[in-house]
Amino acid sequence: MRVRKITLAAVAVVAGLSLTACQNDDDGTGQSAPSATSTSSSSSSSNGGSEAAGSGSAGSDQGSGTDSGKSTAGQGPAAGTGSSEAGKTGKCRTDELEITAMDSTIGGDPDGTVAVDLKNGGGRDCTLSGHAGVDLKTNAGSLSATRTGEPADPVTLKDGETVSFGISYPINDSGGSGVRITGLVVTPPDETKSVTLAWPGGASLPVTDGSGSAVKVGPIGSAGQGG
């Protein structure tokens, strides 16, 4: 019986050792798998981070190239705008014009005519459009000319060129002294600065009933057509 008990005990011990060895193997395997998984995950994460960084670097390079392109494109329209602005023709200013007046009456006409010349001396091309303002200084006060109603087309003057317009007025053949003219005031179209000139026409105007100005002004380019 003693021998049997010892044998059973030995069997139990061996079985226990085998069970322990199996458990240790299972535990090692269980721990080893997570370790491998963790390492794989870490490696994947590391690789993924590197790829992301690479993408960010590429994006930065592309962004830099795009910004450079925009900067270059921005300069193009600016240059075009500047060129367009330089190509525009501005209106003629009073200070750029040499304004003179002369008698242009043709014998036999019922009315007298004064031609006013505007010469571009501003060193650039400029444009005149419409009617100039015309006022006659008289011993009875200022008399403003009225427009003839003719079409007023724009006129572009190159530097040194001249354009004219006409002023018509009634000739004083009444035999009386009439209204004496002492000066001519001309204001170019779209300007507020005036030029005062000597009056080259007839010395006086016939006295009227004051119902309206008998002095007429034609549009720019209408010299001799102010009737």
Side-chain angles (χ1 to χ4, degrees):
M1 293 298 292
R2 181 177 180 83
V3 172
R4 185 177 181 184
K5 289 181 179 180
I6 292 174
T7 302
L8 290 174
V11 171
V13 169
V14 172
L17 291 175
S18 298
L19 179 60
T20 301
C22 290
Q23 289 177 346
N24 288 339
D25 289 342
D26 291 341
D27 291 343
T29 303
Q31 293 175 356
S32 175
S35 175
T37 302
S38 175
T39 301
S40 175
S41 175
S42 174
S43 175
S44 175
S45 174
S46 175
N47 291 338
S50 175
E51 290 175 1
S55 298
S57 176
S60 176
D61 291 342
Q62 291 176 358
S64 175
T66 301
D67 289 344
S68 175
K70 287 182 179 179
S71 177
T72 302
Q75 293 175 359
T81 301
S83 177
S84 177
E85 288 295 327
K88 289 183 178 179
T89 304
K91 66 181 180 179
C92 299
R93 302 290 185 178
T94 301
D95 291 338
E96 297 176 312
L97 298 171
E98 299 173 19
I99 304 176
T100 56
M102 65 188 72
D103 183 15
S104 189
T105 303
I106 297 175
D109 285 353
D111 293 327
T113 301
V114 167
V116 178
D117 293 340
L118 300 95
K119 182 179 180 180
N120 180 10
R124 67 179 180 95
D125 294 356
C126 63
T127 301
L128 288 169
S129 179
H131 294 74
V134 171
D135 296 282
L136 300 185
K137 289 184 175 183
T138 75
N139 61 340
S142 180
L143 176 65
S144 296
T146 58
R147 296 177 180 180
T148 61
E150 296 173 71
D153 297 322
V155 175
T156 298
L157 284 182
K158 294 186 178 299
D159 185 39
E161 288 186 343
T162 300
V163 69
S164 305
F165 67 88
I167 302 170
S168 67
Y169 61 96
I171 296 174
N172 182 18
D173 55 6
S174 64
S177 60
V179 178
R180 184 167 55 89
I181 303 172
T182 60
L184 169 64
V185 181
V186 177
T187 308
D190 300 319
E191 280 287 271
T192 56
K193 186 175 182 179
S194 303
V195 174
T196 299
L197 307 171
W199 173 250
S204 63
L205 299 174
V207 177
T208 65
D209 59 6
S211 58
S213 174
V215 181
K216 306 287 184 181
V217 56
I220 299 296
S222 66
Q225 303 175 15

